Amino acid sequence: AVVSTQSTGGRERRTSETSVQEKQLTDKQKVSREKDIVYGKVTIGYQNYKKIVPKSTRRKQDPSTPKKNKPYSTRSWLSQIKSWKQSLHQWDNPQVGLTARAKYSSNNTD
């Protein structure tokens, strides 16, 4: 961690800048994150999504598995997992997933 002193308005303030690369995940966190991802991948929605939408045709707005090895905070990780699982649920019924995907495509041309 780098500690720096900043002068603001006549006062000095010490700040600690810990870069994201310096933070390491514990073994417990790694196992927990892997379990979170496995739970998402065994769902009907994920299986349908994987069959219907090949990786080569996936777009930015399509569901993507969170990066388990990045040192996100617990709150950020849980938020990403929740969002990912919710987006996979639209694929529980493949027709609904395709409709949602087509609707997004027609609204956003990228």
Side-chain angles (χ1 to χ4, degrees):
V2 175
V3 177
S4 63
T5 305
Q6 297 176 345
S7 180
T8 55
R11 288 197 242 156
E12 287 188 3
R13 185 177 71 187
R14 289 186 65 159
T15 59
S16 176
E17 299 170 10
T18 305
S19 71
V20 173
Q21 289 83 12
E22 289 180 32
K23 294 182 181 181
Q24 295 292 321
L25 296 174
T26 65
D27 290 338
K28 185 177 178 182
Q29 286 174 310
K30 291 176 186 176
V31 169
S32 176
R33 289 180 179 199
E34 182 63 33
K35 189 187 296 185
D36 290 339
I37 290 172
V38 168
Y39 284 153
K41 287 187 173 184
V42 297
T43 63
I44 292 168
Y46 184 82
Q47 297 305 315
N48 290 336
Y49 174 68
K50 192 169 79 168
K51 273 190 261 179
I52 296 169
V53 186
K55 275 190 177 183
S56 60
T57 64
R58 294 180 189 171
R59 300 178 308 230
K60 184 172 58 174
Q61 65 274 11
D62 289 333
S64 64
T65 308
K67 308 293 182 235
K68 66 181 178 186
N69 293 321
K70 287 209 172 192
Y72 300 115
S73 68
T74 300
R75 182 179 295 199
S76 175
W77 173 255
L78 293 175
S79 174
Q80 290 177 56
I81 286 292
K82 181 179 180 181
S83 176
W84 176 60
K85 285 181 179 179
Q86 287 175 341
S87 64
L88 290 176
H89 276 298
Q90 72 182 351
W91 291 90
D92 289 347
N93 177 341
Q95 192 57 43
V96 173
L98 287 170
T99 303
R101 194 168 194 256
K103 184 186 281 188
Y104 189 90
S105 293
S106 65
N107 290 340
N108 296 322
T109 54
D110 45 301

